Amino acid sequence: MALLTREAEERIVNLLLSEGLADPSLVNNIKTAAEAAGKQVLAELIEQKLISNDMVARATAAIIGVPYVELKNITIDQDILTKIPSEASSRVLAVALGEKDGLLNVAMVDVTNVQATDYLSNLINQPIRVWMSSERGIREVLEQYHGDFSGVQEAVEETNEEIAEAAATSSNVKTIVQDSPISKALTTILSYAAKTKASDIHIEPLENSLIIRCRIDGVLRRIMELPKTVAPALVSRIKILSNLKIDEHRIPQDGQFTVLVDNQEIDLRIAIAPVTWGEQVVIRLLDKTGVSMEIEKMGMTGRALHDVLEGIKKPNGMILTSGPTGSGKSTTLYALIQKIKSDEINIVTLEDPVEYKMDGINQTQVNVDAGLTFASGLRSILRQDPDVVMVGEIRDSETAGLAVQAALTGHLVFSTLHTNSAAGILPRLLDMGIEPFLLASTLNVVIGQRLVRRITEKREMYKSSEIETKAINSIVGSLLPQDKDSVAKISEDLGYPGLPVRNDDHYMLAKGVASKETPGGYKGRAGLYETIVVDEDIQKMIINHSTANEIMKLAKEKGTVTMRQDGILKVLSGITSIEEVNRVASDLS
């Protein structure tokens, strides 16, 4: 909020009172206290939540005779928005709205700042007309800048010839890329990925161009194409920041570094590999601020949630999660550890890499080059008096054996495996050489999971087609309430409030409205889960070397909701779509 004179504050407060927007007695009390303490009256009123920033902005605009614009839920065309560079917009809290009569209309928080107005006018070389808006509204529009790649294009235009020369002499690449605008190009790409909550950036060389793709909500999207001449400098810049060898192009290299985006640190994991037309770079973004560490918010609910919470209450045993790469297994383990974390127990983890740093937990990074593998690290961890051990992944027989021994000796062990389902964990561990009787006595609960995209809040409802209705009834018909009297009980048991009564005609389903910010009508992701509690009956099947299908059949009879069923229940609850469930779980029963 701009620093206002006492007279201006008085006029704004009086206007708010005259419009009936604030309680006079409460305002007078706070006003007296603020003046005695030498504080801004409006700032105190906002802090006490008697008025809002939006109300102050509207009143200020009315008093000083400047038009006010409400920017909530407004989308501004990128061609207009980027007339003011994103860096300048963020610095002075001003955004372009549109052009009229040769003037650029600009919304600002502090319209009294003449220096900022002149700065913007000189920067874009165009006269501007000032509008007033709230800081909240301005910041909402600033979020739309994630599609601005002007920095990349400028870098390409300014340094194309220089980069081409650098490619011919690798000894000069380091000096050039440190001083050239290619650094700004990389920053722009990383900033876009961070703001769109991308999990990965793929930089892929083709014969005549360089493709940049981002994995957003689990789906790769092509965001731009650059000239091939940019590739050597861009890859070299990434290598320098990751402390990798810039003159090594024959073998894969792995590294890491950290960037600051909107005052938030984001850890980056770099994987560089030689491919046909150059070097491919995959950057994994690890931003713990953008990830929910609450298992309920991640999508686990009902019977699955109950089984897992009971499993982690036990003082020893194993909790294992399974699923393909990128299905959120590690995040699930972090969320479960968050549930049990306390000063009374020692939690030690062994990870590759340490994805999210958590207070109160002793986290160890695997370092194969230094001889610190999952197996050797686990041996060391068990000498550190742990109560709970998390092993990032069970990759081999040695690690599996040590994890089982840790569970047998009184530790609670969390880990992950790459299998297609929860039931697939059991034969997989048997294949690794674990004795069936040891496995049966140590496993508490096994979890299978996948990730689906969430339907955006802006949505439309439609009646399911005949094919969709048949699919829903086939998959979850036996779980759905058969009459209205049983809706509440069954909905609570399954964890999805307000489930519909089974209907052979149609169901009302949700479809997200697509936009630039929500391609396909999706934003964010939710987990599909299935859990198997290893009770006496399941233990007998393990000892008898039963197949995954046989174990899953028994688990379903005992009440396990499969991932595919969980997905359809999420469809009926408006969380995701049938297309999403089919995309990630079509191979599951």
Side-chain angles (χ1 to χ4, degrees):
M1 189 175 70
L3 187 62
L4 301 168
T5 64
R6 289 295 177 111
E7 182 184 356
E9 272 199 324
E10 187 77 26
R11 292 177 65 189
I12 292 171
V13 171
N14 289 338
L15 180 58
L16 292 171
L17 290 173
S18 66
E19 294 291 331
L21 298 175
D23 186 302
S25 60
L26 292 175
V27 168
N28 288 331
N29 291 338
I30 291 176
K31 183 179 176 183
T32 302
E35 289 174 348
K39 297 180 179 179
Q40 272 194 299
V41 176
L42 288 175
E44 288 296 299
L45 291 173
I46 292 170
E47 188 174 337
Q48 296 295 326
K49 297 186 178 179
L50 291 179
I51 60 174
S52 66
N53 274 301
D54 288 10
M55 291 163 62
V56 172
R58 285 180 181 275
T60 304
I63 287 172
I64 63 179
V66 173
Y68 180 86
V69 58
E70 173 58 65
L71 294 178
K72 185 178 180 181
N73 297 326
I74 295 296
T75 301
I76 297 174
D77 189 273
Q78 287 290 314
D79 292 338
I80 294 296
L81 190 63
T82 54
K83 282 186 175 292
I84 301 176
S86 58
E87 185 180 346
S89 281
S90 299
R91 187 163 61 246
V92 300
L93 289 178
V95 293
L97 302 175
E99 288 184 287
K100 188 175 182 181
D101 300 329
L103 298 174
L104 181 66
N105 290 303
V106 176
M108 300 180 67
V109 172
D110 186 5
V111 295
T112 62
N113 190 337
V114 178
Q115 288 182 325
T117 306
D118 290 342
Y119 162 72
L120 291 176
S121 183
N122 291 331
L123 179 68
I124 64 175
N125 195 28
Q126 184 178 359
I128 65 176
R129 183 188 182 210
V130 175
W131 293 64
M132 188 165 188
S133 189
S134 66
E135 183 176 344
R136 175 190 57 81
I138 296 287
R139 292 197 182 279
E140 267 196 27
V141 175
L142 287 175
E143 290 296 315
Q144 298 176 32
Y145 264 104
H146 60 236
D148 177 17
F149 294 109
S150 57
V152 179
Q153 301 300 343
E154 288 170 11
V156 172
E157 292 169 7
E158 292 176 22
T159 63
N160 221 348
E161 292 183 8
E162 188 177 22
I163 292 170
E165 293 173 9
T169 55
S170 61
S171 60
N172 295 329
V173 169
K174 183 172 181 177
T175 304
I176 291 174
V177 296
Q178 282 179 329
D179 298 332
S180 76
I182 202 66
S183 298
K184 182 180 178 183
L186 178 60
T187 300
T188 304
I189 293 169
L190 293 175
S191 179
Y192 170 85
K195 288 180 179 179
T196 54
K197 306 297 181 184
S199 60
D200 302 88
I201 303 169
H202 289 234
I203 301 173
E204 303 167 339
L206 302 181
E207 184 176 7
N208 300 309
S209 62
L210 189 69
I211 301 299
I212 312 293
R213 297 195 292 170
C214 286
R215 188 177 295 279
I216 302 171
D217 293 335
V219 178
L220 276 171
R221 299 180 195 164
R222 179 166 168 169
I223 61 171
M224 66 187 312
E225 182 175 349
L226 298 174
K228 186 65 177 285
T229 50
V230 174
L234 186 59
V235 174
S236 293
R237 181 60 182 158
I238 293 169
K239 286 181 178 180
I240 291 166
L241 293 170
S242 310
N243 291 318
L244 301 177
K245 298 177 181 178
I246 64 170
D247 56 349
E248 178 57 77
H249 308 290
R250 301 165 299 169
I251 60 174
Q253 296 189 77
D254 296 326
Q256 63 185 61
F257 64 95
T258 300
V259 294
L260 196 66
V261 177
D262 292 338
N263 295 318
Q264 295 289 345
E265 278 194 353
I266 298 177
D267 293 332
L268 306 176
R269 298 287 183 267
I270 314 300
I272 301 177
V275 292
T276 304
W277 301 112
E279 290 179 282
Q280 178 188 24
V281 182
V282 177
I283 303 175
R284 169 66 57 88
L285 289 85
L286 304 173
D287 177 16
K288 66 179 180 182
T289 62
V291 176
S292 171
M293 289 297 177
E294 295 181 41
I295 193 71
E296 296 87 349
K297 290 183 178 179
M298 291 162 57
M300 187 178 286
T301 186
R303 297 174 189 174
L305 180 61
H306 174 268
D307 292 344
V308 170
L309 295 182
E310 288 298 311
I312 64 177
K313 287 179 183 177
K314 296 181 179 180
N316 59 277
M318 297 177 70
I319 312 290
L320 301 181
T321 68
S322 69
T325 301
S327 60
K329 300 185 297 296
S330 297
T331 308
T332 295
L333 293 188
Y334 281 116
L336 294 179
I337 284 177
Q338 195 79 26
K339 285 277 187 189
I340 63 172
K341 186 179 74 170
S342 78
D343 292 336
E344 298 174 359
I345 59 174
N346 179 23
I347 302 175
V348 184
T349 76
L350 185 63
E351 306 170 60
D352 184 22
V354 175
E355 294 191 14
Y356 305 108
K357 299 176 180 65
M358 300 175 69
D359 293 333
I361 295 175
N362 301 300
Q363 297 174 273
T364 305
Q365 166 78 51
V366 166
N367 188 338
V368 177
D369 293 338
L372 179 57
T373 63
F374 278 116
S376 63
L378 188 49
R379 285 196 186 89
S380 174
I381 282 175
L382 295 176
R383 294 192 291 269
Q384 296 173 18
D385 187 32
D387 297 291
V388 178
V389 177
M390 178 183 129
V391 181
E393 184 184 344
I394 294 177
R395 295 178 178 172
D396 52 53
S397 301
E398 188 178 8
T399 306
L402 288 167
V404 169
Q405 290 299 322
L408 284 170
T409 52
H411 303 90
L412 186 60
V413 179
F414 293 85
S415 192
T416 70
L417 282 93
H418 281 89
T419 64
N420 286 330
S421 64
I425 289 177
L426 308 174
R428 176 80 178 107
L429 288 171
L430 293 175
D431 287 342
M432 287 184 172
I434 305 300
E435 292 293 340
F437 68 91
L438 291 178
L439 193 58
S441 59
T442 54
L443 282 174
N444 294 351
V445 61
V446 291
I447 306 166
Q449 67 180 85
R450 301 285 170 89
L451 289 176
V452 291
R453 291 181 291 174
R454 290 180 182 268
I455 293 173
T456 184
E457 291 182 7
K458 193 173 183 181
R459 57 184 59 194
E460 299 170 348
M461 303 302 293
Y462 72 98
K463 288 183 179 181
S464 59
S465 66
E466 183 179 348
I467 294 175
E468 289 173 330
T469 303
K470 285 183 179 179
I472 291 170
N473 286 331
S474 170
I475 297 168
V476 298
S478 61
L479 298 177
L480 292 178
Q482 301 301 312
D483 53 62
K484 291 183 179 179
D485 294 337
S486 59
V487 167
K489 182 180 178 181
I490 292 177
S491 294
E492 182 180 359
D493 175 44
L494 295 174
Y496 295 99
L499 285 174
V501 173
R502 179 186 167 111
N503 186 342
D504 291 330
D505 294 329
H506 72 271
Y507 295 94
M508 293 306 297
L509 307 180
K511 179 171 63 175
V513 177
S515 68
K516 288 183 179 179
E517 289 71 36
T518 58
Y522 300 102
K523 187 171 186 180
R525 288 194 285 177
L528 306 184
Y529 297 94
E530 65 185 18
T531 57
I532 298 177
V533 177
V534 183
D535 59 12
E536 289 186 8
D537 293 329
I538 300 293
Q539 288 175 353
K540 289 176 183 177
M541 297 195 77
I542 295 172
I543 292 171
N544 292 329
H545 290 267
S546 298
T547 65
N549 287 338
E550 291 170 338
I551 292 171
M552 194 61 190
K553 182 180 178 182
L554 177 60
K556 288 171 70 175
E557 291 174 3
K558 287 175 168 289
T560 288
V561 175
T562 68
M563 277 186 277
R564 192 160 175 77
Q565 288 176 327
D566 189 37
I568 297 301
L569 292 174
K570 282 181 167 65
V571 170
L572 293 172
S573 299
I575 295 171
T576 190
S577 67
I578 287 182
E579 291 78 14
E580 270 299 285
V581 174
N582 289 337
R583 181 178 69 86
V584 305
S586 60
D587 60 325
L588 303 172
S589 59

